[in-house]
Amino acid sequence: MKPIDDPQEFQRIMAARNRIAASQRALSRKWISDTGVFAMAAEGIVHFVDDEYKLFADAFRAEAPGRLFGVSNEDRPPGWDHAVMVEQSTEDELEQLETEFYGQYFLLFSEDERHAVLFTQADYKLIAGPLPFLHRFFPDLSAQKQEFLEFKNEELSYRHTVGYEQAMETAVRFMNWLD
């Protein structure tokens, strides 16, 4: 993993982040439409759960060869954003990436900008890309959608802020293509 220090490269990475992520909780509908990718939500109170390092590394290596970029996705003061490049999608590098962004919300995306994972502030992550990429995470996409709906209903069975509720509803809308 290597920090992006070159100002021009950094600006290019931030522009890609802004195309892909609409906010800390949502992907850009325009990016989804323009690239023809699909999105799936998964519970994720922490960035990577259990053996997800291996799952994510294998999926990116197989479906998105090339470099990956991790970039903070918070509303931060100017100059506080940072980005890193992951040259090889290995479990060790993804673990370093999680350490780099611990306590922050971040976007991980492929160099071709067609594969992305948004680690949100609302206890879920959005995984987006072509269908073969999603199937590496979720062999049964309908079952995953149902699992996320159950998680959302359980979470919203007690009081949350309006923003949290809207974030959960937004995540469900991203999955409506399964219907």
Side-chain angles (χ1 to χ4, degrees):
M1 188 177 73
K2 177 178 122 179
I4 305 291
D5 294 328
D6 176 51
Q8 289 180 329
E9 179 74 354
F10 182 78
Q11 288 305 317
R12 187 182 73 76
I13 298 305
M14 296 306 285
R17 178 198 73 176
N18 294 339
R19 277 191 300 276
I20 297 169
S23 70
Q24 294 176 2
R25 296 176 267 193
L27 295 168
S28 163
R29 290 190 180 277
K30 181 173 179 7
W31 172 75
I32 289 172
S33 173
D34 288 351
T35 57
V37 301
F38 301 95
M40 179 56 66
E43 181 179 358
I45 195 161
V46 295
H47 296 153
F48 296 102
V49 181
D50 300 328
D51 62 350
E52 281 187 340
Y53 293 114
K54 179 173 176 22
L55 180 65
F56 277 76
D58 290 348
F60 274 107
R61 250 191 332 271
E63 301 294 334
R67 302 179 303 172
L68 301 177
F69 297 97
V71 62
S72 58
N73 195 45
E74 291 185 274
D75 294 327
R76 298 171 59 103
W80 283 83
D81 284 322
H82 69 286
V84 297
M85 177 180 54
V86 177
E87 295 188 71
Q88 300 172 359
S89 301
T90 65
E91 294 172 55
D92 288 343
E93 282 196 315
L94 292 182
E95 190 170 0
Q96 289 174 14
L97 182 73
E98 182 175 49
T99 301
E100 180 77 16
F101 290 100
Y102 182 76
Q104 299 178 21
Y105 311 106
F106 71 97
L107 176 69
L108 175 63
F109 64 94
S110 62
E111 191 166 21
D112 68 1
E113 298 179 26
R114 288 185 44 85
H115 308 82
V117 182
L118 177 62
F119 296 90
T120 75
Q121 67 179 21
D123 298 343
Y124 65 86
K125 55 188 156 247
L126 290 170
I127 301 171
L131 284 177
F133 183 67
L134 289 183
H135 278 293
R136 288 190 175 275
F137 295 97
F138 313 110
D140 185 339
L141 295 171
S142 295
Q144 176 58 30
K145 180 179 179 182
Q146 187 58 40
E147 183 178 316
F148 188 80
L149 288 172
E150 290 170 10
F151 166 69
K152 178 197 82 119
N153 291 338
E154 181 180 320
E155 284 292 300
L156 297 183
S157 67
Y158 55 95
R159 291 178 56 105
H160 283 286
T161 64
V162 171
Y164 188 89
E165 292 174 8
Q166 290 173 338
M168 287 293 200
E169 293 300 331
T170 298
V172 170
R173 281 195 302 277
F174 280 117
M175 299 185 301
N176 282 342
W177 60 272
L178 288 171
D179 295 332

